[in-house]
């Protein structure tokens, strides 16, 4: 099976019980943030950075395609809590997922727990160790628009409209925040070609309120460029895309709660979810 580096998954906030703050992963160290508290990190205009990423994405070779089954492997952590009276138990233990998806959206997902995160917030070495939990995916379950639909929509405003109309986002969010939530969902079960990534980065380059937080090392230890929304947009949860500077692929996605009203009982800012996409490519069949 031929694999290539891929992307990220979107997480939705949930209403946590009214209890004390829980432990969360450390916020990544972004190059343009430095010693500034993340809640006050303005970033810099991202247009030039995104246009550069768009150029390298457009030049990315297509993944070898021995078959028509899209394969994606990722590690994801979401904020969860278990109540025991007045106490709440939490743990920073990612779930490792592999998905195989046919063109009609049907497929299989295998989930396994992994060891806890390292102290620095990086994924532990060695991969998943838990028992495989298999889930059958019915036809039509992949996010719309698909990567192929977006490829057909390439052109002035086409991809932007397809994302906002097809996926949407939390009511009251800005267009920029919606797009940063939508883009990772396209990569969840699909192999996204460079031309589509390129079009999305060009789209974000023209979007008001999109900034870069500079260079960062992602949860898997890979160099990335961080793209997010400006503080002026006042997003309760700030979405951060992590993009590979060498080929323009989406490597990861971080969610940082910025406002207590986001629904998490935490001292903000705090990471409330992340996904690191570790591999993607084409397979010849779906496992049983």
């Amino acid at each position: 099976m031929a694999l290539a580096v891929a992307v990220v998954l979107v997480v939705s906030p949930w209403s946590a019980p009214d209890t004390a703050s829980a432990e969360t992963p450390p916020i990544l160290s972004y190059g343009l943030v430095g010693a500034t508290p993340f809640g006050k990190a303005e970033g810099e205009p991202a247009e030039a950075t995104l246009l550069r990423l768009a150029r390298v994405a457009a030049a990315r070779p297509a993944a070898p395609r021995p078959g028509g089954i899209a394969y994606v492997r990722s590690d994801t952590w979401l904020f969860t809590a278990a109540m025991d009276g007045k106490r709440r138990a939490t743990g920073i233990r990612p779930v490792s997922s592999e998905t195989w998806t046919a063109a009609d959206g049907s497929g299989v997902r295998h989930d396994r727990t992994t060891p806890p995160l390292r102290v620095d917030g990086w994924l532990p070495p060695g991969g998943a160790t838990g028992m495989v939990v298999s889930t059958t995916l019915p036809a039509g379950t992949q996010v719309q628009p698909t990567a192929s639909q977006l490829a057909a929509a390439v052109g002035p405003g086409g991809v932007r409209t397809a994302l906002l109309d097809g996926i949407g986002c939390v009511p009251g969010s800005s267009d920029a925040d919606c797009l940063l939530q939508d883009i990772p969902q396209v990569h969840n079960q699909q192999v996204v070609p460079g031309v589509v990534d390129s079009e999305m980065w060009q789209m974000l380059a023209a979007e008001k309120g999109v900034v870069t937080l500079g260079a960062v090392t992602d949860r898997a230890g890979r160099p990335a460029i961080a793209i997010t929304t400006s503080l002026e947009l006042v997003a309760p949860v700030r979405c951060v895309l992590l993009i590979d500077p060498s080929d323009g692929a989406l490597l990861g996605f971080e969610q940082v709660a910025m406002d207590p009203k986001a629904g998490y009982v935490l001292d903000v800012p705090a990471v409330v979810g992340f996904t690191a996409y570790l591999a993607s490519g084409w397979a010849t069949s779906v496992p049983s």
Side-chain angles (χ1 to χ4, degrees):
M1 179 186 303
L3 301 181
V5 173
V7 290
V8 149
L9 177 67
V10 173
V11 191
S12 298
W14 62 288
S15 297
D18 186 14
T19 57
S21 296
E23 184 182 12
T24 62
I27 295 174
L28 295 175
S29 297
Y30 300 99
L32 294 178
V33 174
T36 302
F38 187 86
K40 298 181 179 179
E42 295 281 354
E44 295 182 355
E47 180 179 6
T49 298
L50 283 163
L51 290 177
R52 183 172 67 252
L53 291 168
R55 288 192 294 272
V56 297
R60 187 169 77 228
R65 190 164 181 166
I69 305 300
Y71 170 83
V72 176
R73 179 165 62 92
S74 64
D75 280 6
T76 300
W77 178 84
L78 312 179
F79 176 78
T80 57
M83 293 301 297
D84 178 13
K86 295 183 178 180
R87 300 179 61 187
R88 181 169 63 188
T90 62
I92 308 175
R93 184 181 294 274
V95 173
S96 181
S97 300
E98 293 180 288
T99 62
W100 291 262
T101 309
D104 66 355
S106 63
V108 171
R109 184 179 71 246
H110 289 174
D111 295 324
R112 291 192 298 171
T113 57
T114 73
L117 288 182
R118 293 167 29 176
V119 173
D120 56 13
W122 287 16
L123 294 165
T129 57
M131 181 180 299
V132 173
V133 176
S134 182
T135 302
T136 299
L137 306 174
T141 56
Q142 78 271 49
V143 167
Q144 303 284 337
T146 64
S148 60
Q149 290 168 342
L150 289 176
V154 167
V159 168
R160 185 181 189 276
T161 299
L163 288 171
L164 293 178
D165 290 351
I167 301 178
C169 66
V170 177
S173 299
S174 67
D175 283 355
D177 192 40
C178 283
L179 292 168
L180 264 69
Q181 294 178 50
D182 292 349
I183 287 171
Q185 295 197 57
V186 177
H187 298 76
N188 184 23
Q189 293 175 238
Q190 303 177 60
V191 179
V192 180
V195 64
V196 173
D197 278 335
S198 177
E199 187 72 12
M200 290 193 285
W201 307 152
Q202 292 178 68
M203 172 193 67
L204 288 181
E207 194 70 30
K208 182 179 179 181
V210 177
V211 299
T212 177
L213 299 180
V216 63
T217 301
D218 82 343
R219 303 285 174 184
R222 301 169 295 186
I225 300 295
I227 302 295
T228 188
T229 48
S230 69
L231 295 180
E232 295 178 356
L233 297 184
V234 196
V237 177
R238 199 175 190 185
C239 305
V240 186
L241 303 184
L242 306 179
I243 304 172
D244 190 329
S246 68
D247 67 1
L250 185 58
L251 294 179
F253 178 70
E254 300 273 323
Q255 289 185 300
V256 183
M258 302 289 286
D259 188 328
K261 295 179 181 178
Y264 301 93
V265 184
L266 295 167
D267 295 329
V268 296
V271 175
V272 292
F274 71 78
T275 296
Y277 275 70
L278 304 176
S280 75
W282 296 99
T284 57
S285 62
V286 175
S288 57

